[in-house]
Amino acid sequence: VLMDLPDVPTGWNHFDIPVDARSTTVPAGWQFNRGDGTPGTDADWATFMHQIDLVAFGLWKPDFAYPSLGLWQLGIDNIHIGHDP
């Protein structure tokens, strides 16, 4: 789980989220959970980064209930996963 966006930005916005696959620690400020919902450790992170089979993106925050008031106009477009040597 990455950054929290308390104020929804207007218009198109660009976000770069670097992830060092060789890191031995969970990135600062990230929430990393095991499949059962318990917090993951740095050791779990190192194992996780070497066993990724699927990447998914979602517009939600874990453990938060969103009311359905029909006010949301969120979207995501032009996702790019790249590799920097």
Side-chain angles (χ1 to χ4, degrees):
V1 177
L2 305 176
M3 68 199 91
D4 190 12
L5 297 174
D7 298 314
V8 178
T10 58
W12 289 100
N13 292 272
H14 179 91
F15 295 97
D16 281 320
I17 304 167
V19 179
D20 183 356
R22 297 168 299 215
S23 176
T24 58
T25 60
V26 177
W30 284 32
Q31 179 182 341
F32 176 63
N33 295 339
R34 295 179 178 159
D36 63 3
T38 60
T41 66
D42 288 337
D44 294 327
W45 177 259
T47 301
F48 168 75
M49 289 305 294
H50 288 90
Q51 297 179 349
I52 295 175
D53 294 322
L54 173 71
V55 176
F57 297 90
L59 299 171
W60 70 86
K61 182 176 181 178
D63 305 320
F64 186 81
Y66 294 94
S68 178
L69 303 176
L71 302 174
W72 283 38
Q73 293 183 1
L74 298 175
I76 193 167
D77 194 8
N78 299 326
I79 295 173
H80 173 80
I81 298 175
H83 168 52
D84 290 332

